[in-house]
C-alpha cells in the first residue's frame, strides 16, 4: 500500500524528493499517511479534493484485493 501511494504522489508533485509516506497497521486496518512539500499540497488534494479522493479509492481497491481495509491521511507539513 505504501509503495502505491508513494508512486502516485511522486508523479503528481513538483518536489518528489519531499514525499514521505508512512504506513501504520492496526488490527484490521492500514493507515497510510502522506506528507508532501507545502507548495505541492494543492496538487495532491486537487480541486474540491478530487485528486485526494481518487487516490483514496485506488488505495481501498488495492487493500480490498488483499482482504484488508485502508485509509489515507494527508498530513500538512
Amino acid at each position: 500500500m505504501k509503495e502505491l501511494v508513494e508512486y502516485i504522489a511522486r508523479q503528481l508533485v513538483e518536489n518528489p524528493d519531499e514525499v514521505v509516506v508512512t504506513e501504520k497497521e492496526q488490527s484490521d486496518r492500514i493507515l497510510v499517511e502522506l506528507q508532501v512539500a507545502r507548495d505541492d499540497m494543492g496538487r495532491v488534494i486537487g480541486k474540491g479534493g478530487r485528486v485526494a479522493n481518487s487516490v483514496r479509492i485506488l488505495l481501498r481497491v488495492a487493500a480490498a484485493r488483499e482482504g484488508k481495509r485502508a485509509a489515507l491521511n494527508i498530513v500538512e507539513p
Side-chain angles (χ1 to χ4, degrees), residues 6-66:
E6 188 172 359
Y7 176 77
I8 293 170
R10 287 183 186 270
Q11 301 305 311
L12 292 172
V13 299
E14 286 186 11
N15 302 312
D17 295 336
E18 295 189 37
V19 172
V20 178
V21 180
T22 57
E23 185 176 85
K24 298 177 184 175
E25 196 157 336
Q26 298 169 343
S27 60
D28 64 337
R29 190 174 198 172
I30 299 170
L31 177 62
V32 180
E33 292 185 345
L34 171 63
Q35 184 175 358
V36 297
R38 185 171 298 282
D39 297 337
D40 292 326
M41 285 297 288
R43 292 176 177 271
V44 172
I45 295 173
K47 193 173 196 174
R50 289 184 181 185
V51 174
N53 286 333
S54 297
V55 174
R56 285 185 176 108
I57 290 169
L58 290 171
L59 179 63
R60 277 191 229 128
V61 169
R65 295 180 100 191
E66 295 182 10

